[in-house]
Amino acid sequence: MSSLAAITGPNVRGRWHHEVVTVPTISADMVGRDADLAGLRRAFDRASGGEPSAVLIEGEAGIGKSRLLREFQAEVADSADVHVGRCFDLGSARSAYGPLTSILRSMVERLGVAEAKAAIGVGAEALRMLVPELGEGVAVRDSTSPDALRDAVATLIEAAAGIAPQVLVVEDLHWVDDSTLVMLTYLLRTLQAGRVLLLITCRTDDVRRGDAVSRFIAETTRARIIERLTLERLDRDATRRLVEQLNSRELSDTSLDRLMDRAEGVPFFVEEVACCASDPLPDSLREMLLVRFDQLDDDARHVVRVVSGAEGMLSHTLLAGLAGLPDDRLDAAIRAASHVGVLSVHDDEYTFRHALLREAVHEDLLPGERARLHRAYAEALEAKATALDRCDRSSLAHHWHLAQVPDRALVASVAAMQEAKARFAFASAARFGELALELWEQVPDAEEVAGLSHVRLMRQIGSILRNAGEAERALAVAERALEEIDESTDPAEHARLLRDRGLFLANLGLPGAAELFLEALEIVDRAVDDEQLHATLLNGLAGKYMLASMPREAIITATQALEIATRANDPREISVAHNLRGTCRTYLGQLDEAFADFRAAALFAPRSNGGAELRFHVNYSDMLGLLGRHREAFDVAAAGIVRARELGVERASGTLMVQNMVEPLLTLGDIDGATSRLSAVPIGRPQVLNDQYVVLTRIRVLAWQGRIDDAERMREEWMPSLRRTGELERQAWYRIVENDIALDIARGQWTHALDAVVAMTQDEGFVLLHAYRLLLESGWVVAEVRASGGDVDVAVSAIRRLWAEIPATVRDEGWAALLDALLDPSVAALRRAVSLADGEDVPAIMRGVTRLELARMLVADGQRPEAQVALADAATIAARIGHVPLQNSIAVFGRASGLVARDGEAADELELTARERQVVELVAEGLSNKQIGERLYISSKTASVHVSAILRKLGVSTRTEAAMVVARR
């Protein structure tokens, strides 16, 4: 290993230089941060109480972010577990999950490996990619997934928080790798309970507008999932106290003026200026930062220059090899550098006391010195181990790049890309891939050096970018690769690139995916002998046909995929083909064949490492819900959640399963169950398709609850993305229409709602089963418009016409009778409808709607007592399911008809509901609660509740008194 003795020279090259008296570098007491420290205490109190909290501590370089953290950590050290992870300045070669790895390893060490593995369960295999201590050997990537890794990280944190409050510290966010940002976003949105406090520091003057860190801060701030604590500069009084602490003597006003002029209230600069307060001040900030460095001898300056090349903590062994000094001189140099406050010593490792010092020293090197320094680092890392660890690959890419050795940097970048991809750190992998593309042009024989073609590299980068959520960049890379591809040389690669471009277009909500899959299939049919690729392409095309509401084409294509996948013995593609075909057969009303397909999909799914299995639970539960079999749909989705939990992907892949549980719960009127499950799903990103469907359900729930402003705010934020998705996916279009109608109903804009229903019936696209429940519930809209005197004839005809297009095998006779009763109301039809609405799997609102409409017909027919009973029952149902718009409609009709007292008027009929009047009459007959229950076909407990309400309303204390009041009136 070559030393750096000849690489970095001892001279200061004519820079301003003088002797300085060293002063303490950290004051005994922190100055000017009482309010900021109090803010962190409040956040910790919330976290300790079980409310996860996050604080971004931001400010310019040297403002005191790290010092504030040290003070806070010292305060909570005895009552919480503190885990620290640091981001390092590695340019574009930032190590994937850099700070998180340190935090998670610290957490596992604190918990103990055995307890950590037990808490994480199946996710331990995924977490081994970041915490190797959880097992032996190399983690098997194929046995896990990105969702499993994210879920395992969250589970570990929750498990640790169950034992003690957890303080997770991420320092220097401005240098963070993209994969850590993705994970932090996930954790901030996912961890909704538990004793967890996340503290992040960020140097704001190093955050560029529009970059990943800037977007992270903006998005988390807008979502109100992080609190921002901005550290301000010290005022004159605080600056005076700080300097007087450092120098142990009073500071004159003249000296304070000079110091304020130069340091401007930045604590770190105040300390540095205070070092030479009695001497001439340096002319520039860089020279001021190098004052301490300049007072060192040649050996110490040499060692400090060597340390400036390190991206983080530098071990003594590596420093000794790089410095090339005898042990005694090396020890003396390190001691001198730490004595004047340039270097800090941590066990067997060294780093700069402040990042600004490292930057100043490193920037002071000549270009040739800097390149030789980084080459020495790269060579030392390569010599240190024959099998490089993960961090070394990222470091190698960084050092070879700065050493200006493009061929070695290219090899290291490609290796770092592959490794980050293997750890599901797609955002970081994309950075390394783009660095490799940048270096490619500088290496004459790049293909031989890198071990893969330029086109293959671009295809891999495109796939990585897509997985990182960067579909636009992925599309650009794929299109560039397609311009270079020579089909005759590698037709399989050409077909895969066409498929990838189609996937990227679909991710962006752009047309053309099906055509690209067809083009890829033409190439495979003609020139590629790869049945697995062939089946995958056919299933991909079938999926596009399904989403475009072309079920017949999808069935034909999925059948072809099934034949090829069966020959290839590929259980995943076999299951997917059956799944797709079963879904489309359901749309066509071919229910026997559809259920046979779903049974086959379930049979092959468990052999496919989870993906096809979860897809089965999502699609099958969705189809059952569309058929009106809501309880079965809930059970299938719940089983999918259990399976997702077993696979360690409940938080991520389980999202759509939660959605498919909430929909039947909501339809069946369990608003509390629906809301509680939705609250456990974090609000995601508009460009993520799964999150879009969850948000559509949230909007429907908010409309159901009458929270119109909240629903409209969410709709406004998400609608641009939702509209794009709705243009390509007809099922999304139906959900958007449903939400539009629900919001119009919540606002009481019944005519607008009916117009939306009619517009839906007039759309020329294929009629999906999503229209089935919508048409049934639209009967309520017709009833309300008719009640207000509006003309509904056109709407009724349109609804009947579209109802007839629902496959006959799907249409339920009971649902048909319900709809007929609302479209063409009569007392007899509505009495039957009330009975039918009480059946299983009928949408809960229909129980209230049919009773409300029956009350209207009865009032018109002069049968007010029965109308009053029907309306009271409707009100009870609406209140029980928490449907505010339905409650409003019932109240409006009740007041208008005189069945319910108007505000400020004396209540008719003793202010009792119809049911209560029935009960009080039986009380007057002397019947017990049990007897009343038997007479009215209700439980004795329900009778008791009614009796209690009656006594309270009448202002009496006994059943006898109640009977007397009724007799008098």
Side-chain angles (χ1 to χ4, degrees):
M1 184 184 301
S2 63
S3 76
L4 288 174
I7 296 177
T8 59
N11 66 301
V12 295
R13 299 191 305 282
R15 187 175 59 248
W16 175 90
H17 175 69
H18 62 88
E19 291 297 322
V20 183
V21 178
T22 303
V23 299
T25 57
I26 299 179
S27 60
D29 297 313
M30 186 172 61
V31 172
R33 297 288 180 237
D34 291 347
D36 303 312
L37 188 57
L40 295 185
R41 290 177 185 137
R42 287 192 296 272
F44 180 70
D45 288 342
R46 290 196 301 271
S48 297
E51 178 186 345
S53 300
V55 181
L56 175 69
I57 305 168
E58 56 186 343
E60 60 191 299
I63 200 65
K65 300 179 291 294
S66 297
R67 179 63 199 279
L68 177 64
L69 270 182
R70 283 195 298 271
E71 292 285 335
F72 175 72
Q73 288 172 228
E75 280 194 10
V76 301
D78 293 334
S79 55
D81 292 341
V82 181
H83 312 281
V84 180
R86 294 178 174 84
C87 309
F88 299 112
D89 185 9
L90 283 168
S92 58
R94 297 171 184 176
S95 183
Y97 301 123
L100 286 177
T101 300
S102 301
I103 290 172
L104 296 172
R105 282 180 155 175
S106 171
M107 203 169 286
V108 168
E109 181 180 359
R110 189 71 59 91
L111 281 174
V113 171
E115 186 168 348
K117 289 177 70 173
I120 303 167
V122 68
E125 182 63 24
L127 197 58
R128 282 181 59 203
M129 290 185 289
L130 302 186
V131 187
E133 295 86 345
L134 288 172
E136 297 180 358
V138 179
V140 182
R141 182 182 190 272
D142 292 342
S143 66
T144 184
S145 68
D147 290 345
L149 177 60
R150 288 191 289 268
D151 201 278
V153 170
T155 301
L156 175 64
I157 294 171
E158 288 177 341
I163 298 172
Q166 302 294 301
V167 178
L168 315 183
V169 179
V170 176
E171 291 210 56
D172 297 323
L173 187 75
H174 46 281
W175 289 326
V176 74
D177 62 282
D178 291 353
S179 296
T180 294
L181 279 181
V182 173
M183 186 68 79
L184 287 175
T185 301
Y186 171 78
L187 293 173
L188 285 169
R189 296 181 183 279
T190 301
L191 297 174
Q192 300 188 7
R195 297 181 294 174
V196 182
L197 173 60
L198 175 62
L199 300 178
I200 303 173
T201 68
C202 183
R203 191 194 295 179
T204 49
D205 40 0
D206 275 1
V207 175
R208 294 188 301 277
R209 185 175 182 179
D211 69 2
V213 174
S214 173
R215 292 196 301 274
F216 168 82
I217 293 173
E219 289 172 5
T220 54
T221 301
R222 185 169 59 251
R224 299 181 181 179
I225 54 180
I226 198 165
E227 176 185 349
R228 296 176 71 170
L229 178 61
T230 302
L231 301 190
E232 304 295 344
R233 295 180 176 186
L234 302 180
D235 59 20
R236 285 179 61 87
D237 290 342
T239 300
R240 180 189 293 277
R241 292 199 305 274
L242 175 57
V243 175
E244 289 179 348
Q245 275 194 97
L246 291 169
N247 291 330
S248 300
R249 62 175 182 269
E250 291 186 2
L251 185 68
S252 68
D253 290 342
T254 302
S255 296
L256 179 60
D257 290 341
R258 183 175 62 162
L259 195 146
M260 288 297 295
D261 181 62
R262 186 57 55 89
E264 298 181 334
V266 178
F268 179 70
F269 298 156
V270 170
E271 292 180 1
E272 296 305 299
V273 173
C275 290
C276 49
S278 60
D279 297 292
L281 290 177
D283 293 328
S284 68
L285 174 60
R286 185 171 70 88
E287 288 184 345
M288 182 179 73
L289 290 173
L290 292 171
V291 166
R292 297 175 187 270
F293 174 76
D294 285 341
Q295 68 181 294
L296 297 172
D297 62 22
D298 290 349
D299 281 353
R301 284 199 297 270
H302 169 66
V303 167
V304 170
R305 289 190 181 103
V306 171
V307 178
S308 77
E311 65 273 17
M313 304 292 287
L314 184 63
S315 70
H316 180 82
T317 302
L318 188 53
L319 175 57
L322 290 167
L325 293 175
D327 290 346
D328 57 341
R329 289 171 58 189
L330 177 63
D331 291 343
I334 294 171
R335 184 172 289 108
S338 60
H339 177 69
V340 300
V342 174
L343 295 184
S344 294
V345 182
H346 303 271
D347 297 327
D348 192 38
E349 294 181 317
Y350 310 105
T351 189
F352 278 80
R353 180 174 68 86
H354 199 285
L356 287 172
L357 286 172
R358 188 197 72 81
E359 293 165 19
V361 171
H362 196 256
E363 290 173 5
D364 195 51
L365 295 172
L366 292 171
E369 290 178 318
R370 194 176 299 120
R372 290 192 297 274
L373 175 62
H374 286 287
R375 183 183 187 107
Y377 266 92
E379 290 173 345
L381 289 173
E382 287 185 341
K384 189 172 74 168
T386 54
L388 299 173
D389 62 29
R390 297 184 179 98
C391 292
D392 284 334
R393 295 188 189 276
S394 301
S395 297
L396 273 180
H398 169 68
H399 289 299
W400 280 125
H401 185 43
L402 293 183
Q404 301 178 28
V405 184
D407 55 344
R408 305 283 282 276
L410 174 61
V411 172
S413 297
V414 171
M417 178 191 77
Q418 302 289 10
E419 185 179 71
K421 176 186 174 184
R423 302 169 74 199
F424 306 122
F426 298 113
S428 297
R431 290 266 189 170
F432 288 117
E434 290 173 334
L435 175 60
L437 286 179
E438 175 188 328
L439 292 164
W440 193 278
E441 306 299 328
Q442 304 172 39
V443 181
D445 51 349
E447 187 167 322
E448 182 178 345
V449 168
L452 76 170
S453 69
H454 195 227
V455 168
R456 175 67 61 87
L457 173 62
M458 285 192 287
R459 187 170 72 79
Q460 290 185 9
I461 293 172
S463 176
I464 289 168
L465 284 167
R466 180 202 179 206
N467 283 315
E470 298 284 353
E472 290 183 351
R473 291 164 63 196
L475 179 62
V477 172
E479 290 175 341
R480 180 178 165 191
L482 280 168
E483 292 173 359
E484 289 188 20
I485 189 73
D486 183 349
E487 181 193 326
S488 61
T489 303
D490 195 345
E493 193 74 4
H494 190 192
R496 290 188 177 94
L497 274 171
L498 290 168
R499 174 201 62 191
D500 290 352
R501 183 168 183 255
L503 291 172
F504 305 157
L505 285 172
N507 289 154
L508 291 168
L510 298 173
E515 292 78 3
L516 288 163
F517 273 86
L518 284 168
E519 188 178 348
L521 281 165
E522 190 276 328
I523 293 173
V524 171
D525 285 333
R526 173 169 41 82
V528 179
D529 183 17
D530 186 334
E531 289 190 325
Q532 195 277 334
L533 174 61
H534 200 170
T536 302
L537 285 169
L538 285 166
N539 272 333
L541 180 60
K544 302 308 171 198
Y545 284 149
M546 180 187 74
L547 292 174
S549 295
M550 300 168 63
R552 294 175 180 82
E553 293 84 346
I555 290 170
I556 293 170
T557 308
T559 301
Q560 293 173 338
L562 181 58
E563 293 171 356
I564 295 172
T566 301
R567 286 202 306 268
N569 193 27
D570 186 334
R572 181 189 184 280
E573 298 305 326
I574 292 173
S575 179
V576 169
H578 277 298
N579 196 326
L580 290 166
R581 198 168 66 176
T583 299
C584 292
R585 282 174 165 172
T586 306
Y587 287 154
L588 296 176
Q590 301 168 4
L591 299 189
D592 291 340
E593 297 90 340
F595 285 117
D597 266 324
F598 279 120
R599 286 192 295 271
L603 178 65
F604 284 94
R607 310 177 200 174
S608 65
N609 193 29
E613 195 171 359
L614 299 180
R615 184 170 184 168
F616 159 76
H617 283 283
V618 168
N619 284 5
Y620 189 40
S621 62
D622 188 47
M623 285 302 102
L624 288 168
L626 293 179
L627 292 172
R629 296 163 64 167
H630 304 298
R631 286 172 172 79
E632 288 181 72
F634 176 87
D635 291 341
V636 171
I641 288 287
V642 172
R643 186 61 182 135
R645 186 179 304 126
E646 293 170 351
L647 294 169
V649 296
E650 180 182 1
R651 288 180 176 86
S653 295
T655 299
L656 277 181
M657 241 87 73
V658 172
Q659 146 86 12
N660 284 8
M661 291 172 69
V662 168
E663 277 294 319
L665 285 176
L666 190 59
T667 300
L668 294 173
D670 186 358
I671 186 67
D672 292 336
T675 303
S676 65
R677 284 172 172 83
L678 270 182
S679 66
V681 179
I683 294 289
R685 296 177 296 167
Q687 65 268 33
V688 178
L689 190 60
N690 289 4
D691 293 345
Q692 290 180 13
Y693 281 102
V694 172
V695 163
L696 283 167
T697 302
R698 286 181 185 273
I699 294 172
R700 183 181 168 207
V701 168
L702 291 170
W704 185 299
Q705 295 172 325
R707 295 168 56 186
I708 301 171
D709 290 344
D710 292 339
E712 289 184 337
R713 275 195 298 270
M714 188 173 290
R715 182 182 182 278
E716 182 179 358
E717 177 185 355
W718 284 73
M719 193 48 67
S721 296
L722 293 173
R723 292 290 186 202
R724 286 195 298 271
T725 300
E727 290 173 2
L728 295 178
E729 297 192 10
R730 189 152 178 81
Q731 61 186 23
W733 177 80
Y734 272 107
R735 296 294 307 281
I736 294 168
V737 170
E738 178 181 36
N739 279 13
D740 288 345
I741 294 171
L743 278 171
D744 282 336
I745 289 174
R747 300 185 196 101
Q749 297 175 345
W750 294 101
T751 301
H752 288 171
L754 192 58
D755 289 344
V757 172
V758 172
M760 176 186 72
T761 68
Q762 295 172 341
D763 189 88
E764 297 179 357
F766 182 84
V767 180
L768 288 182
L769 294 183
H770 295 71
Y772 185 38
R773 177 173 55 79
L774 261 176
L775 288 172
L776 175 64
E777 295 179 356
S778 71
W780 178 25
V781 182
V782 170
E784 293 293 341
V785 173
R786 181 193 295 115
S788 66
D791 183 1
V792 298
D793 291 345
V794 172
V796 168
S797 297
I799 291 169
R800 291 190 185 281
R801 183 175 63 252
L802 191 62
W803 180 262
E805 293 190 36
I806 302 294
T809 52
V810 173
R811 297 196 303 268
D812 178 83
E813 289 183 5
W815 283 34
L818 281 170
L819 182 59
D820 281 339
L822 292 169
L823 298 183
D824 186 13
S826 69
V827 170
L830 283 163
R831 281 174 175 158
R832 182 180 178 224
V834 165
S835 176
L836 290 169
D838 289 339
E840 280 196 355
D841 281 328
V842 178
I845 66 167
M846 301 309 295
R847 298 199 296 275
V849 167
T850 52
R851 286 168 168 81
L852 169 59
E853 189 63 2
L854 174 60
R856 285 194 177 111
M857 293 298 104
L858 289 167
V859 167
D861 201 36
Q863 303 182 52
R864 293 180 65 83
E866 185 182 349
Q868 202 160 30
V869 172
L871 191 65
D873 288 345
T876 300
I877 291 166
R880 184 167 61 243
I881 66 176
H883 199 293
V884 173
L886 180 55
Q887 290 175 289
N888 292 339
S889 288
I890 293 167
V892 167
F893 172 68
R895 289 190 296 271
S897 63
L899 297 180
V900 175
R902 297 176 182 273
D903 293 340
E905 294 181 359
D908 186 30
E909 302 286 352
L910 307 175
E911 296 185 346
L912 303 182
T913 67
R915 176 66 78 186
E916 288 167 348
R917 286 196 305 279
Q918 290 176 328
V919 171
V920 79
E921 288 169 1
L922 297 177
V923 167
E925 292 180 21
L927 272 62
S928 68
N929 290 340
K930 182 179 180 182
Q931 292 169 325
I932 292 171
E934 291 171 350
R935 183 80 65 88
L936 297 179
Y937 301 100
I938 60 177
S939 69
S940 59
K941 183 177 180 180
T942 301
S944 174
V945 170
H946 284 309
V947 170
S948 297
I950 291 166
L951 297 179
R952 184 179 66 255
K953 289 182 178 182
L954 297 183
V956 297
S957 58
T958 68
R959 298 161 71 94
T960 302
E961 290 175 324
M964 292 174 63
V965 171
V966 172
R968 285 198 303 270
R969 297 193 184 182

